[in-house]
């Protein structure tokens, strides 16, 4: 102890974390009542030769009590981890030296057949770097983006690459992680759970956003993360949003996620959509004229999954009915609802999604308030309406409560300029666009 700080030696990282998170304020207040001068308490993990049996038993009792509380919470709140119909996973699979018939990996998800464009080039480069140097440069790697934009392709490409190097890989969804944790607690097999998730070279947890609000699960993710990170093992997460936007994610996990490399995959631009369609045609040994490919790429903009779905239905039409593929046929299929076309976006949708993203109301955006937490979303809404709908500045002003066209022009110019160097702003706009053009939010493929 010195004049401002008291250092407490503890026997384990668990004890340190437990005291810091549960009792630090109480301990500090108690010490201050005695000394009056201590400003902070620091806990240091240090093995000691002599430890009080009573103190050790006390920690064990507290740990057992917390495990019972976690078990109760999981049984109550996490009985059904997700009702998302897109989950197809049954059990977590540790992939051995080479993929088995039951492995979750798909052989065709490789870096070689991943189409790179401006919408995903940073994520692709980061994923390749992780595959080449796991556990070193970008750890953890956190990839986020909307539905069907290629997140799963990238993480499986990492896994396939490391699998060829005889690395032990665990690939699970957050649902499987939660379910496995619940069963392990219920059956008293937590040591097996820990060993299964920590004795690997690469841990991938898909759709990590679903652990938000689940404290017991977050606790285990945190401890698993720390163990793997301390041993230079690679950790990869995917999500439909960045860590900062995951509601009810505790600060220490958010800090761990943000301490690595965060990259996004956005909606592919026209040139990338064309390249994807051409690549898929080669894989399927099916020829389409460029004119047809351009029509599909122009009409299907939301994600890669819908692009491939459109292509599959056109191929099926040709093979089953012998139809000739023409731009008119593609238009007919799209208009007839046989192929999901791009979601039709209007100004009300933009205002609603921007308001929801920033946790304000549509009325706030339309108001005259100059508060920063309202003014910035309003400027983003103006920018998006201009960019996505191509409305005039006066029209946008009318839509937003009678704002002057010069105000709208200023907002558009400001956001357009700031987005180049403001990564947080770029993330916000990417997320909003993903929500605009995707009608649902299932697991990405």
């Amino acid at each position: 102890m010195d004049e401002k700080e008291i250092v407490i030696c503890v026997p384990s990282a668990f004890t340190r974390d437990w005291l810091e998170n549960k009792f630090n304020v109480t301990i500090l207040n108690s010490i201050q009542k005695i000394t009056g001068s201590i400003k902070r308490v620091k806990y240091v993990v240090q093995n000691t030769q002599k430890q009080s049996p009573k103190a050790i038993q006390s920690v064990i009792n507290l740990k057992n009590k917390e495990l019972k509380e976690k078990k109760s919470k999981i049984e109550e709140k996490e009985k059904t981890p997700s009702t998302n119909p897109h989950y197809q996973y049954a059990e977590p699979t540790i992939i051995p030296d080479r993929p088995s018939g039951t492995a979750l990996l798909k052989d065709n998800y490789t870096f070689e057949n991943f189409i790179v464009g401006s919408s995903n080039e940073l994520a692709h480069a980061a994923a390749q770097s992780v595959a080449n140097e796991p556990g070193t440069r970008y750890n953890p790697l956190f990839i986020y983006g909307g539905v069907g934009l290629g997140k799963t392709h990238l993480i499986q490409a990492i896994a396939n690459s490391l699998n060829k190097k005889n690395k032990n890989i665990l690939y699970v969804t957050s649902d499987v992680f939660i379910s496995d944790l619940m069963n392990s607690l219920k059956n008293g097999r937590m040591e097996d759970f820990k060993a299964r998730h920590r004795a690997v070279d690469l841990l991938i947890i898909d759709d990590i956003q679903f652990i938000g609000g689940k404290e017991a699960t977050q606790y285990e993710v945190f401890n698993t993360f720390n163990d793997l990170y301390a041993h230079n093992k690679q950790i990869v997460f995917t999500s439909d949003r960045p860590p900062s936007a995951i509601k009810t994610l505790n600060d220490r996990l958010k800090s761990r996620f943000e301490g690595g490399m965060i990259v996004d995959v956005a909606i592919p631009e026209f040139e990338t959509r064309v390249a994807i369609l051409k690549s898929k045609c080669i894989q399927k040994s099916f020829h389409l004229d460029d004119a047809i490919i351009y029509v599909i790429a122009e009409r299907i903009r939301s994600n890669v999954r819908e692009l491939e779905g459109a292509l599959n239905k056109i191929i099926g039409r040709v093979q089953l009915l012998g139809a000739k593929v023409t731009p008119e046929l593609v238009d007919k299929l799209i208009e007839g609802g046989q192929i999901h076309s791009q979601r039709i976006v209007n100004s009300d949708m933009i205002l609603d999604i921007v308001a929801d993203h920033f946790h304000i109301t549509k009325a706030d955006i339309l108001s005259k308030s100059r508060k920063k937490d309202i003014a910035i979303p309003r400027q983003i809404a103006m920018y998006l309406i201009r960019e996505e709908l191509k409305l005039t500045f006066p029209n946008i002003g009318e839509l937003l409560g009678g704002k002057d066209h010069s105000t709208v022009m200023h907002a558009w110019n400001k956001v357009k300029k700031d987005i180049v160097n403001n990564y947080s702003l770029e993330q916000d706009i990417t997320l909003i666009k993903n929500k605009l053009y995707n009608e649902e939010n299932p697991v990405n493929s």
Side-chain angles (χ1 to χ4, degrees), residues 344-397:
I344 298 173
V345 173
N346 57 45
S347 58
D348 283 334
M349 287 172 58
I350 292 175
L351 292 175
D352 288 338
I353 291 175
V354 169
D356 178 72
H357 181 80
F358 289 103
H359 311 298
I360 59 176
T361 66
K362 184 177 176 180
D364 289 330
I365 295 178
L366 299 178
S367 72
K368 296 182 179 180
S369 173
R370 295 187 178 181
K371 292 180 180 179
K372 186 176 180 180
D373 58 350
I374 294 175
I376 292 177
R378 182 187 297 130
Q379 290 176 339
I380 290 174
M382 292 175 175
Y383 170 82
L384 286 170
I385 292 173
R386 173 68 175 178
E387 290 293 307
E388 302 305 308
L389 305 182
K390 309 302 181 186
L391 298 186
T392 65
F393 294 126
N395 285 343
I396 298 172

Side-chain angles (χ1 to χ4, degrees), residues 38 58 60 92 135 139 150 170 203 237 254 260 268 271 299 335 339 342 351 360 408-409 416 431 434 440:
I38 296 296
S58 176
I60 292 172
N139 201 18
L170 178 59
L203 172 65
F237 300 108
K254 194 175 295 185
E271 292 79 8
R299 299 299 299 274
E335 294 299 333
I339 299 172
Q342 179 190 5
L351 292 175
I360 59 176
V408 180
M409 186 182 294
K416 188 175 183 179
L431 276 173
N434 285 338
E440 55 183 356

Side-chain angles (χ1 to χ4, degrees), residues 251-302:
D251 289 340
R252 63 181 187 175
L253 257 186
K254 194 175 295 185
S255 174
R256 294 296 191 278
F257 293 167
E258 293 175 341
M261 181 68 167
I262 301 175
V263 291
D264 70 301
V265 284
I267 296 172
E269 64 285 353
F270 176 78
E271 292 79 8
T272 302
R273 297 197 297 273
V274 168
I276 289 170
L277 286 169
K278 289 185 175 182
S279 174
K280 296 294 182 184
C281 282
I282 292 172
Q283 291 175 28
K284 299 173 189 294
S285 301
F286 186 83
H287 174 75
L288 272 182
D289 292 337
D290 285 353
I292 302 299
I293 288 177
Y294 295 155
V295 171
I296 301 172
E298 182 59 39
R299 299 299 299 274
I300 309 292
R301 301 184 183 185
S302 56

Side-chain angles (χ1 to χ4, degrees), residues 154-210:
L154 282 177
I155 61 175
Q156 291 218 11
I158 295 171
N160 278 320
S161 178
L162 291 179
N163 193 50
K164 292 177 181 177
K165 300 175 183 178
N166 296 320
K167 300 293 185 181
N168 289 324
I169 300 162
L170 178 59
Y171 175 79
V172 294
T173 67
S174 59
D175 270 15
V176 169
F177 188 94
I178 293 167
S179 217
D180 195 12
L181 172 61
M182 180 180 69
N183 291 331
S184 298
L185 282 170
K186 186 181 295 184
N187 299 320
R189 302 179 65 87
M190 278 304 296
E191 291 306 315
D192 290 342
F193 175 89
K194 292 177 182 178
R196 188 161 54 252
H197 289 81
R198 300 179 191 184
V200 295
D201 300 302
L202 169 65
L203 172 65
I204 300 174
I205 302 182
D206 212 353
D207 296 294
I208 195 69
Q209 73 271 11
F210 290 119

Side-chain angles (χ1 to χ4, degrees), residues 42-267:
K42 182 179 180 181
Y43 306 92
V44 176
V45 178
Q46 181 177 319
N47 293 324
T48 54
Q49 296 298 319
K50 295 181 180 180
Q51 297 182 23
S52 165
K54 289 184 179 180
I56 294 172
Q57 188 58 49
S58 176
V59 170
I60 292 172
N61 291 341
L62 288 172
K63 184 174 181 180
N64 288 336
K65 182 181 177 182
E66 185 182 18
L67 286 174
K68 288 180 181 179
E69 290 174 354
K70 286 194 296 181
K71 179 181 177 181
S72 176
K73 284 182 180 179
I74 289 175
E75 290 175 346
E76 289 284 332
K77 298 181 180 180
E78 303 174 17
K79 203 166 184 178
T80 307
S82 172
T83 57
N84 194 323
H86 290 263
Y87 280 116
Q88 300 296 326
Y89 308 104
E91 293 292 338
T93 304
I94 295 183
I95 300 167
D97 290 344
R98 59 184 62 83
S100 66
T102 60
L104 299 179
L105 290 184
K106 296 182 179 179
D107 292 337
N108 61 325
Y109 280 172
T110 65
F111 290 116
E112 288 73 23
N113 61 21
F114 185 86
I115 304 301
V116 182
S118 60
S119 58
N120 58 31
E121 60 183 349
L122 181 58
H124 175 263
Q128 275 198 316
S129 179
V130 163
N132 293 331
E133 301 178 77
T136 56
R137 297 183 63 189
Y138 303 132
N139 201 18
L141 175 63
F142 193 104
I143 305 175
Y144 74 92
V147 178
L149 299 180
K151 301 191 301 291
T152 298
H153 189 139
L154 282 177
I155 61 175
Q156 291 218 11
I158 295 171
N160 278 320
S161 178
L162 291 179
N163 193 50
K164 292 177 181 177
K165 300 175 183 178
N166 296 320
K167 300 293 185 181
N168 289 324
I169 300 162
L170 178 59
Y171 175 79
V172 294
T173 67
S174 59
D175 270 15
V176 169
F177 188 94
I178 293 167
S179 217
D180 195 12
L181 172 61
M182 180 180 69
N183 291 331
S184 298
L185 282 170
K186 186 181 295 184
N187 299 320
R189 302 179 65 87
M190 278 304 296
E191 291 306 315
D192 290 342
F193 175 89
K194 292 177 182 178
R196 188 161 54 252
H197 289 81
R198 300 179 191 184
V200 295
D201 300 302
L202 169 65
L203 172 65
I204 300 174
I205 302 182
D206 212 353
D207 296 294
I208 195 69
Q209 73 271 11
F210 290 119
I211 72 170
K214 296 175 172 60
E215 291 301 322
T217 302
Q218 292 187 48
Y219 178 83
E220 292 303 330
V221 170
F222 178 79
N223 287 332
T224 299
F225 181 105
N226 285 346
D227 187 88
L228 291 172
Y229 187 85
H231 291 90
N232 297 319
K233 304 302 183 182
Q234 183 66 49
I235 311 151
V236 177
F237 300 108
T238 72
S239 172
D240 64 352
R241 67 205 76 174
S244 60
I246 301 177
K247 296 178 182 178
T248 61
L249 182 67
N250 66 47
D251 289 340
R252 63 181 187 175
L253 257 186
K254 194 175 295 185
S255 174
R256 294 296 191 278
F257 293 167
E258 293 175 341
M261 181 68 167
I262 301 175
V263 291
D264 70 301
V265 284
I267 296 172

